[in-house]
Amino acid sequence: SLPFDNNKIEELSSRYPHKTVGEWDLPRVLAKLVSKDLIIGLIRGRYEVGPRALGNRSILCNPLNKNMRDILNDKVKHREWYRPFAPIVTEEDSQKYFTNKGPIPYMSVICYTREEYRDKLPSVTHIDGSARIQTVSRKQNPFIHSALKEFEKLTGVPIFLNTSYNPAGEPILNFCEVGLEMLDKTDLDFVIIENTVFSNHAK
């Protein structure tokens, strides 16, 4: 289902600086924010059943930043420093970077970051070289796929660090208000709800 309080967006918009972006331009905007090492919460489309973040309720950030795992664990997820994060990658490019044999749309299989990319992708590669990847095709999630390809134009890789969007110890959120409150309670930089980009008051 859509967020339970989807009808409150207008009211919530009065509380945070925000800008509405055209659907065609939003993938580029997201990619640019992530490339600047900003941490983005994303609420788009329907809620996904299950324990994984599959792109509709996600926190996305830069996998190329060697400090990003520590920053996320400490300042947003509030969990142990060593807990790993997952890469989300375009399906057609995934085997260039990882050892998967085909699509892995649900983060259900552990494979490995190819050795030549382990130093380049430190925040999504576990200490043993493994990575719990999710592949995404244009058909499966056109928005995320487009954003990954825009990120590739900027950085050379079609990969985001992706983790579930939820307050520490709680299930993946399904309230826009809770997602926006994390701008105040954590070090999230921006929250995108559908086509509106909300920013932390300090940004």
Side-chain angles (χ1 to χ4, degrees), residues 35-149:
S35 74
K36 293 181 174 181
D37 291 333
L38 298 167
I39 303 172
I40 314 302
L42 180 68
I43 301 173
R44 272 179 67 90
R46 295 188 174 279
Y47 185 77
E48 301 146 323
V49 175
R52 304 293 175 206
L54 302 175
N56 288 11
R57 304 286 186 277
S58 285
I59 293 173
L60 301 170
C61 45
N62 190 349
L64 303 170
N65 183 330
K66 64 179 173 35
N67 298 315
M68 194 54 76
R69 179 169 58 201
D70 293 341
I71 291 167
L72 262 185
N73 275 328
D74 181 38
K75 296 187 175 181
V76 178
K77 300 291 278 190
H78 301 306
R79 63 184 200 174
E80 298 88 346
W81 63 269
Y82 56 81
R83 297 275 291 275
F85 290 105
I88 186 169
V89 56
T90 48
E91 182 183 297
E92 67 273 22
D93 301 306
S94 59
Q95 292 173 40
K96 175 180 176 180
Y97 301 97
F98 304 100
T99 61
N100 57 306
K101 304 297 184 191
I104 306 177
Y106 300 111
M107 291 186 191
S108 55
V109 178
I110 291 176
C111 57
Y112 291 86
T113 304
R114 294 196 180 277
E115 206 157 325
E116 62 267 36
Y117 289 105
R118 288 182 187 178
D119 287 344
K120 193 171 187 180
L121 297 167
S123 290
V124 293
T125 302
H126 204 36
I127 195 164
D128 62 357
S130 64
R132 189 182 288 272
I133 79 167
Q134 179 200 353
T135 61
V136 62
S137 67
R138 186 171 294 282
K139 182 179 179 183
Q140 180 189 349
N141 190 326
F143 169 71
I144 290 289
H145 187 277
S146 295
L148 288 166
K149 295 307 285 184

Side-chain angles (χ1 to χ4, degrees), residues 183-194:
L183 283 170
D184 297 323
K185 295 177 179 178
T186 74
D187 281 10
L188 266 183
D189 295 299
F190 292 90
V191 169
I192 297 175
I193 301 177
E194 299 303 335

